[in-house]
Amino acid sequence: MSERTSQDASRRLSSEERRAQIIEAAIAVFGARGYVGTTTDEVARAASVSQPYVVRLFGTKENLFLAALQDALDRLLAAFRSAPRGDDLQARSDAMGAAYLGLLEVRGLHQILSHAFLLGSHPVIGPRAREGFAQVWRYLRDDPAEGGAGFSAEEAQKFLAAGMLINTMVGLRITDEYGADTGMTELFNECFPVSIDYVLGVAPRVDELW
């Protein structure tokens, strides 16, 4: 090992880098186990830090979930904004869909969004989840000149419905049934007609925690 490699390996992470590491782990663990089924100790172990350190940074599991949810929403909108913006609306929609599938590389992201959207009755998480859902809708509907996607209400509804179906399929691990169940294989092919090999390669790993 070179001196530089040794120095890089031993470099202490900054507090911001450590916080980002914990949030990354939290997205994966909350995504796989849900809010109720997750403990701060499990997130700490996934992030290779101590549980007291997680508590010191975030205070409560609720705050940690909110931070992970916000990060997931930020990544989602950033992925949409990164899609090519041609004049053809269908091409724009396809590019945004591909960007959404690209987020499968972030373990647990699609699942944590689904978990959050089912916590509407939670006094703290519910309002934030609704706000995030509304923020996505506004982005889909806003004029491209204002940074939005420029979809009509009908087009936005269809795009959002397709995304929620993808979330459901990821959470159900439909990839485990691909090729074995005719109906599930047909559904998978309809939802992922272009990136099927990519999804089959990535989706089985989304629930791996450590």
Side-chain angles (χ1 to χ4, degrees), residues 35-183:
Y35 177 70
V36 175
T38 295
T39 66
T40 54
D41 183 62
E42 289 168 337
V43 173
R45 284 190 286 115
S48 300
V49 299
S50 69
Q51 191 267 353
Y53 186 78
V54 173
V55 173
R56 187 163 76 249
L57 281 183
F58 296 93
T60 64
K61 182 174 80 167
E62 182 181 278
N63 288 340
L64 178 59
F65 185 88
L66 290 173
L69 172 60
Q70 184 61 56
D71 190 80
L73 287 167
D74 289 345
R75 293 185 190 220
L76 172 64
L77 290 168
F80 286 162
R81 293 186 179 109
S82 71
R85 291 183 168 278
D87 293 332
D88 185 85
L89 193 60
Q90 185 58 55
R92 189 184 313 157
S93 177
D94 291 343
M96 287 170 57
Y100 189 61
L101 289 178
L103 290 172
L104 284 171
E105 293 283 2
V106 183
R107 294 179 299 168
L109 184 141
H110 296 75
Q111 295 99 314
I112 195 175
L113 291 174
S114 293
H115 286 305
F117 295 155
L118 292 174
L119 290 171
S121 62
H122 191 283
V124 177
I125 296 174
R128 182 64 196 97
R130 288 191 289 275
E131 180 185 339
F133 198 82
Q135 186 179 7
V136 173
W137 176 262
R138 287 193 299 271
Y139 172 79
L140 296 176
R141 293 284 288 122
D142 281 349
D143 190 288
E146 300 176 357
F151 292 174
S152 69
E154 181 181 2
E155 290 160 344
Q157 183 272 330
K158 289 180 179 179
F159 186 87
L160 198 57
M164 296 304 289
L165 177 58
I166 288 172
N167 281 18
T168 299
M169 293 178 67
V170 170
L172 287 172
R173 297 184 64 87
I174 295 297
T175 50
D176 293 350
E177 304 299 321
Y178 188 80
D181 184 286
T182 302

Side-chain angles (χ1 to χ4, degrees), residues 22-33:
I22 293 170
I23 289 177
E24 186 94 7
I27 290 174
V29 180
F30 280 125
R33 302 188 179 184

